[in-house]
Amino acid sequence: MFNMIKMGYSRQLNGANIIQLPKNLDRRGNLSVVEEITNIPFEIKRTYWIYDVPGGAVRGGHAYRNNEEFIVALSGSFDVVLDNGLSRTTYSLNRSYYGLYVPKGVWRQMVNFSTNSLALIMASIPFDPSDYIYNYEHFKELSNKELGSNIS
Ligand code: TYD
């Protein structure tokens, strides 16, 4: 099982946290890596990326019932705003050697994309439209019921 203590994983909003990735420093250029279970607490079933984001655009604005994600700013910077229905935390991503673990059952938005930013997202389940919760009030109701066990 994923070793939270070994990974420097502390309990933040529902277990969301910044995870540092291995960094191979090299005069020829640096290299970082993500391995499922070893570096992030889930098996990777899907990878997608967000790019060519126009200034001021907001991505996300939904929660997942089951999907967990790990988000890396491969290039440029952006903020990820997480909300568990009770409190809200903003995580700034601007380096390619760390990322944000986003647990299931958390409302998330991605904002403040810099020019030419590139967001890489690893996901724990295949794409499933029925996994999305798009209505914030509905999300809050669910947070208090079926997703309630995730709220710290
Ligand atoms: P969406 O998840 O709403 O993007 P974001 O949360 O970044 O705003 O997805 C945008 C569109 O892309 C939507 O029509 C569904 C589609 N999509 C896929 O087909 N496969 C995927 O894995 C993802 C994440 C999205």
Side-chain angles (χ1 to χ4, degrees):
M1 197 187 140
F2 184 75
N3 186 330
M4 294 182 180
I5 295 164
K6 189 172 140 205
M7 297 310 303
Y9 181 102
S10 65
R11 193 158 178 81
Q12 292 193 12
L13 192 133
N14 293 37
N17 203 10
I18 297 287
I19 295 176
Q20 297 283 338
L21 299 170
K23 209 173 161 189
N24 285 274
L25 300 178
D26 192 312
R27 261 181 247 129
R28 301 169 301 162
N30 301 330
L31 183 153
S32 285
V33 60
V34 178
E35 283 192 21
E36 58 183 14
I37 308 301
T38 303
N39 304 113
I40 59 174
F42 59 83
E43 292 180 0
I44 300 166
K45 292 289 191 305
R46 178 167 50 107
T47 303
Y48 63 97
W49 46 100
I50 297 172
Y51 53 99
D52 291 345
V53 180
V58 174
R59 301 293 315 213
H62 53 67
Y64 301 114
R65 296 172 196 275
N66 290 304
N67 190 36
E68 299 167 61
E69 291 189 329
F70 183 62
I71 305 175
V72 181
L74 281 189
S75 181
S77 63
F78 51 85
D79 294 336
V80 184
V81 184
L82 300 184
D83 180 332
N84 63 10
L86 296 172
S87 64
R88 188 170 285 201
T89 305
T90 298
Y91 300 84
S92 293
L93 299 181
N94 54 23
R95 293 285 184 274
S96 59
Y97 52 82
Y98 63 78
L100 176 65
Y101 168 64
V102 182
K104 64 182 176 181
V106 171
W107 189 266
R108 79 146 170 81
Q109 281 194 322
M110 296 166 72
V111 298
N112 294 333
F113 286 88
S114 68
T115 305
N116 289 332
S117 55
L118 172 58
L120 177 70
I121 298 142
M122 286 145 265
S124 69
I125 65 170
F127 179 62
D128 177 6
S130 70
D131 192 52
Y132 282 68
I133 304 165
Y134 282 113
N135 181 288
Y136 185 72
E137 291 310 314
H138 184 209
F139 162 72
K140 280 182 69 162
E141 280 171 29
L142 289 173
S143 295
N144 294 329
K145 295 178 192 164
E146 66 189 76
L147 300 175
S149 58
N150 290 320
I151 289 184
S152 52

